[in-house]
Amino acid sequence: MYIRLKGMKFYAFHGVLPQENLVGANFYVDLKLKTDFTKAAETDELEGTVSYADIHTAVKEEMSIPSKLLEHVCQRIARRLFHDFPTIETIDIRLSKENPPMGACAESIGVEVHYVHSK
């Protein structure tokens, strides 16, 4: 069972170059969260699943903290989600930066990471 949040868009200030920390850019986050939501499926109640709204809020808060590397941002997001939502078993994160300033024509550049909760 998976919960997915795709194409979350955030304006943030991640990057190695000083101008990236001043100007900022659009970033996109896709999440795939493995969790057991059998109870919620049976009862039609929010208890027994993970709230999409709460996930979005947690990711938004982590995205607002500037970092040099996207890899670091992903790790912070994963740690936060595992901490705040202990029923999450695995997390797949795709984080990309729109139009990065690297002298190349690219729609976006990013990273993709798979995390397993070590309970």
Side-chain angles (χ1 to χ4, degrees), residues 41-114:
E42 292 172 356
T43 64
D44 198 26
E45 297 295 334
L46 186 56
E47 293 81 31
T49 191
V50 178
S51 165
Y52 312 140
D54 292 344
I55 293 289
H56 182 270
T57 298
V59 173
K60 182 178 180 180
E61 289 173 3
E62 292 301 323
M63 288 296 294
S64 72
I65 302 167
S67 292
K68 289 185 271 185
L69 302 178
L70 299 183
E71 295 85 343
H72 182 71
V73 179
C74 288
Q75 183 175 8
R76 282 200 338 265
I77 291 170
R79 282 185 180 163
R80 169 79 182 268
L81 295 180
F82 283 139
H83 176 268
D84 291 0
F85 309 97
T87 61
I88 294 174
E89 299 172 30
T90 67
I91 299 173
D92 291 308
I93 302 174
R94 287 184 189 155
L95 174 57
S96 58
K97 182 176 197 169
E98 188 177 79
N99 196 22
M102 54 183 230
C105 183
E107 183 179 304
S108 67
I109 300 293
V111 297
E112 182 173 346
V113 190
H114 176 77

